[in-house]
Each structure stands twice: as C-alpha cells, then as structure tokens.
Amino acid sequence: MKKPKWLEKEKLYSIMFESDVPMGRVFDLVLIVAISLSIIISFIETIPELARTFKLTLEVLEYLLTFFFTLEYIARVYCSPRPKDYVLSFFGIIDLLAIMPPYLSYFFPNARYMILLRSFRFIRIFRIFKLFNYINEGHLLLRSLRKSFTKITVYFLFVLILVTCLGTLMFMIETGRPGTAFTDLGTSVYWAIVTMTTVGYGDITPVTPIGRLLSAFVMLLGYTIIAVPTGIVTANIIDDTKTAEQTNGEEKHCPQCDAEVRETDHFCPNCGTKLS
C-alpha cells in the first residue's frame, strides 16, 4: 500500500524542518501555539484556585499536548536524513527535554514543572520569521564576549577581593554593637555584594555612623565600577563592527540562494543557510 504523500520522508522533512514551504510555516506556527499553551497551563497549575476549578480540563490538555510533542519528536527522528545527528543536535536535545517532564512526573512529581523547558523551543521562531540577521548579530556579540572574557575574569576577581575586604571592614566596625545585623563575615560580605551592585535589599543596614559612612562610600563605588564590563564588551563590539564594515566591500554570496552576505555572517540573512 502506497504511503500518503505527507508521510513520505522528504515531504515530512520539508514540513518539519523548513519554513520556506507553506505547510512548514503553518506547522511551526501550530507548534509555537502548542508550546505557548503548554507553558500557560504550567503557570495556571501553580495557582491553587484555578488548578482546582479547571483540574480536569488542564489534565486533558496536558495529556494531549504531551502526545502531540512526543509524536512530533518521533516524526522528526523518522524523517531526518541522519537521525543520530538530529538527536544529538541542540534542537534535538531541547525537543527531547520538552517531552520528558510529564513522563518523569510519574516518578518525581515536582519534575512536571520542568515543562517550562519548552520555552527554549521558541528559538524556532527565528526560522519562521527569517530573523537570521539577528543570529548573525548574536554571533557578533558572542565573539565580543569571548574576546572580553579574560579582562572580565580579572575584573570579576578584583571585585570579589574588593567586596571581601569591604565586608571584613564593615564587620570590624559593626561587630559587637547592639542591634547590629553584621554577626559574621559571611553576612558582611553578602551586604557588600548587595550594596556594591546597587541592588540594596535593605535587609542588613549599619547602625554606627562610621558604618553608614562606609556604606555610602560603597554605594558610590558601585556606580563607578559597575559599568566597566559593559565598556569592555562595547569596545570589542565596536572593533568587530569596524572590521565587518571594512571587509564588507568584498562581495560574498550565499551558495544556496546567491544572496549577498557580509564577510562576518555565519548564516545567510535571506535563507538561513550556514555559511562556511
């Protein structure tokens, strides 16, 4: 018996992995609606009143969505030219993690909230709306972060030493005072981190004039040094952008659709093909 056309591997592959074809775009939109619904259900289940009122409806929807996602995963493995490559790929791992929580919840009840991992599948929206330019810009940001990694690491260690010293100094000033919250070094260093990062929970405050003076100094110091990592990364982004503009004069074309691409692009802005 001949298989229906939509069950043929090539046709099924174009629907499930490509958004250039009409059916592929429709499938991806349906998939994103299903993912959104699944996440909304997870939030509703954490609200006792709504969970009790719509218990049966939520359970039925969850079973249907789990069945849909499981069937989708099996279909992707089935139609993939290299199933092993798909299973071990980024999307393959995310797809597998997305269907595991409902099954794990039979053995570990709290595992059902891992269903929020399905939100990672929204990354597929890049394929639907062809936002490959954003992917290229993402590579620019990652490249800049890699270049900045050593400088930021040194900066982080410096800040770590600084908050440890400031926390110790505050502990020496405040310890033994009536009503003080600085009862140990760990708490004092925690206060220094919260204050220097300008978060300021206000759960720990100094009671002595000298302690308050030091606290004001740490707040001002936090505003001064918190912008340093941003400046380091921004400088690298500017350098990479200038390099891209300088090399943009050389024409380069996508091997798939022949669209013009930049030298620094990792994916074609037109069709999304990975560039060498």
Side-chain angles (χ1 to χ4, degrees), residues 134-145:
Y134 291 98
I135 295 177
N136 288 320
E137 299 308 322
H139 276 280
L140 175 64
L141 178 60
L142 286 174
R143 189 163 58 249
S144 301
L145 287 171

Side-chain angles (χ1 to χ4, degrees), residues 114-262:
M114 288 172 59
I115 210 165
L116 295 176
L117 287 168
R118 286 177 183 169
S119 60
F120 282 103
R121 304 188 75 196
F122 280 117
I123 296 171
R124 292 186 185 278
I125 203 167
F126 281 91
R127 294 200 298 116
I128 298 173
F129 297 109
K130 293 186 149 311
L131 302 179
F132 294 105
N133 276 321
Y134 291 98
I135 295 177
N136 288 320
E137 299 308 322
H139 276 280
L140 175 64
L141 178 60
L142 286 174
R143 189 163 58 249
S144 301
L145 287 171
R146 280 193 218 104
K147 287 182 179 179
S148 310
F149 181 74
T150 305
K151 293 175 185 176
I152 291 175
T153 301
V154 173
Y155 170 80
F156 175 77
L157 290 173
F158 166 74
V159 172
L160 189 62
I161 293 167
L162 185 60
V163 293
T164 303
C165 293
L166 289 170
T168 303
L169 183 58
M170 182 61 85
F171 175 71
M172 291 168 62
I173 294 170
E174 292 284 312
T175 185
R177 304 290 180 177
T180 184
F182 296 86
T183 53
D184 56 79
L185 274 175
T187 301
S188 302
V189 172
Y190 161 77
W191 165 85
I193 293 170
V194 169
T195 305
M196 184 170 287
T197 55
T198 71
V199 175
Y201 291 124
D203 53 342
I204 301 172
T205 53
V207 295
T208 64
I210 299 176
R212 288 172 182 169
L213 184 64
L214 177 61
S215 183
F217 171 74
V218 174
M219 291 175 198
L220 294 173
L221 184 63
Y223 279 111
T224 305
I225 67 173
I226 204 165
V228 173
T230 307
I232 293 171
V233 176
T234 303
N236 280 302
I237 289 175
I238 292 170
D239 289 342
D240 285 341
T241 304
K242 285 181 179 177
T243 303
E245 288 173 354
Q246 289 169 358
T247 57
N248 202 28
E250 303 174 11
E251 284 193 4
K252 185 180 175 183
H253 295 272
C254 171
Q256 185 70 24
C257 66
D258 202 40
E260 189 174 338
V261 295
R262 297 176 299 183

